[in-house]
Amino acid sequence: MFRILLLLSVGKLLCADVSKKQLEVLQTVRDVARTISDNQGETYENTLSAICLTESSGGVHILGDVKKGTDITKASLGALQIQLATAKHIAKLTPSLNHLLKLSDTKLATLLLTDVKTSTKIAAHLLVRLKHSRKKYFNMVSGYNGGYSNAPYYKRVKKNLNLVYKLVKKNLLQ
């Protein structure tokens, strides 16, 4: 009985630690992700929400991989921590995103930092491409972080996926 009460109270704390702004970002990620499916018709709104929590704490930390002297073009940007090279690559392969190729690096970086919808479109198309090429969910999720097999990253995403499920169950996310 004590374990059940402890688990319930921890679950409430986890959900309580997610701010209104984070919930708004996560809901935007979910809404956009639902519009982009793989060749089996599957969408990845739960996975992308968990990746968003893993990469930026739900939009809290939108500038990543920056060390002193690092060029902004090498940084991971936005709620889904997308690098410019990745955004351009996905834009080349995705007709609906080709317009991004016309933007300067500065404008594209600004867009990634400020527009969750655009970042999510890129991330969702990347995830679908990873799913098609890698087949297994583990390898798809690992690939989002730049590796083929990345167990530590996968475990963090899975932990955040459990949080996403709790937020959906509590109707904090749709």
Side-chain angles (χ1 to χ4, degrees):
M1 184 67 168
F2 176 73
R3 280 190 203 183
I4 293 171
L5 290 173
L6 180 64
L7 286 172
L8 288 173
S9 62
V10 168
K12 286 181 182 178
L13 284 175
L14 284 174
C15 293
D17 288 343
V18 179
S19 72
K20 183 180 177 192
K21 178 66 176 158
Q22 287 170 298
L23 289 171
E24 289 171 5
V25 168
L26 292 171
Q27 189 60 56
T28 299
V29 167
R30 296 175 66 72
D31 292 343
V32 173
R34 280 191 188 103
T35 68
I36 300 165
S37 61
D38 67 15
N39 58 8
Q40 303 296 315
E42 186 174 355
T43 59
Y44 297 100
E45 63 272 10
N46 292 324
T47 301
L48 277 171
S49 297
I51 287 172
C52 182
L53 284 165
T54 304
E55 293 288 343
S56 71
S57 297
V60 173
H61 307 288
I62 60 170
L63 186 59
D65 299 329
V66 177
K67 297 174 181 91
K68 187 175 182 180
T70 301
D71 186 349
I72 191 75
T73 62
K74 304 291 185 217
S76 299
L77 306 170
L80 288 147
Q81 295 291 288
I82 300 168
Q83 293 184 347
L84 287 180
T86 301
K88 289 177 183 181
H89 177 71
I90 295 300
K92 281 181 193 171
L93 299 173
T94 309
S96 64
L97 297 175
N98 284 168
H99 66 280
L100 298 176
L101 298 171
K102 297 175 186 169
L103 300 176
S104 69
D105 284 354
T106 303
K107 287 185 180 179
L108 183 55
T110 301
L111 194 61
L112 291 171
L113 286 165
T114 61
D115 187 349
V116 177
K117 288 181 182 181
T118 298
S119 291
T120 303
K121 287 176 189 176
I122 295 165
H125 282 288
L126 171 60
L127 214 55
V128 165
R129 290 190 173 281
L130 288 168
K131 176 64 173 167
H132 291 162
S133 65
R134 300 187 178 191
K135 310 293 186 237
K136 293 183 181 175
Y137 185 80
F138 170 81
N139 299 118
M140 174 188 76
V141 172
S142 293
Y144 192 90
N145 194 248
Y148 186 78
S149 178
N150 186 338
Y153 181 76
Y154 180 79
K155 286 177 184 175
R156 288 194 312 271
V157 171
K158 288 295 279 187
K159 180 181 173 189
N160 284 321
L161 191 56
N162 289 331
L163 175 56
V164 169
Y165 291 144
K166 288 175 186 170
L167 294 169
V168 169
K169 188 174 182 178
K170 291 181 176 272
N171 291 318
L172 294 171
L173 292 175
Q174 306 302 314

